[in-house]
Amino acid sequence: MKKYSVLGNKKRVTMETNQTRLKVIGNNCIVRVTNNQGDIEVIGNDCRVEVKDNYGSINFVGSGGLVTVTKRWKGDRVTLVGPNCHLQVDGKEKPMPSYEAQLSPFSKELDDVIDSIFTFVMR
């Protein structure tokens, strides 16, 4: 399977059919695909992913993202990680479980985390 990577802010990627692995890294990016049969991975804030027919998988990591899918087919997969991410399927907002990075469950303050990282780095 071919792999395409796009790196940079404010990039626009348009494809008719995606049968490959498409990876876009950057903020304020727009990805438009008519027919997705492969993998789309977007890492960045305030990005948009627009797919008409989704047979493959879409992975989005970042905050403030919008994933719009006109039609989902059996076996497809959509994953959103980050705060304020939205999934629209056929013009309707779909609730998705949102995952966010958390502090260590054993520390109650950010200072505890920073102190342990600083000690580890200094070794």
Side-chain angles (χ1 to χ4, degrees):
M1 178 181 266
K2 288 185 178 181
K3 183 177 180 180
Y4 295 102
S5 297
V6 179
L7 178 64
N9 295 328
K10 298 182 181 179
K11 298 291 184 184
R12 293 180 183 214
V13 178
T14 304
M15 298 178 85
E16 186 69 30
T17 301
N18 178 36
Q19 296 177 343
T20 62
R21 290 181 129 167
L22 174 63
K23 186 172 188 177
V24 179
I25 301 173
N27 297 324
N28 298 315
C29 294
I30 299 172
V31 178
R32 290 186 178 122
V33 177
T34 302
N35 189 354
N36 180 36
Q37 298 174 356
D39 298 331
I40 298 174
E41 182 177 1
V42 178
I43 301 172
N45 299 322
D46 301 320
C47 294
R48 288 189 338 204
V49 179
E50 300 173 5
V51 176
K52 293 216 184 219
D53 291 323
N54 187 33
Y55 297 94
S57 67
I58 300 171
N59 297 318
F60 181 86
V61 179
S63 67
L66 174 64
V67 177
T68 304
V69 179
T70 303
K71 187 160 185 177
R72 294 185 69 180
W73 294 88
K74 187 174 183 176
D76 75 339
R77 188 170 48 121
V78 178
T79 307
L80 306 175
V81 179
N84 300 323
C85 292
H86 302 282
L87 172 65
Q88 289 184 351
V89 178
D90 197 24
K92 298 176 185 172
E93 183 82 21
K94 294 288 182 180
M96 290 286 295
S98 179
Y99 305 101
E100 296 182 30
Q102 300 289 325
L103 292 175
S104 170
F106 303 108
S107 66
K108 297 197 182 221
E109 295 183 5
L110 183 60
D111 292 336
D112 296 338
V113 176
I114 292 173
D115 187 43
S116 64
I117 292 172
F118 182 74
T119 304
F120 177 74
V121 171
M122 290 305 291
R123 288 184 186 174

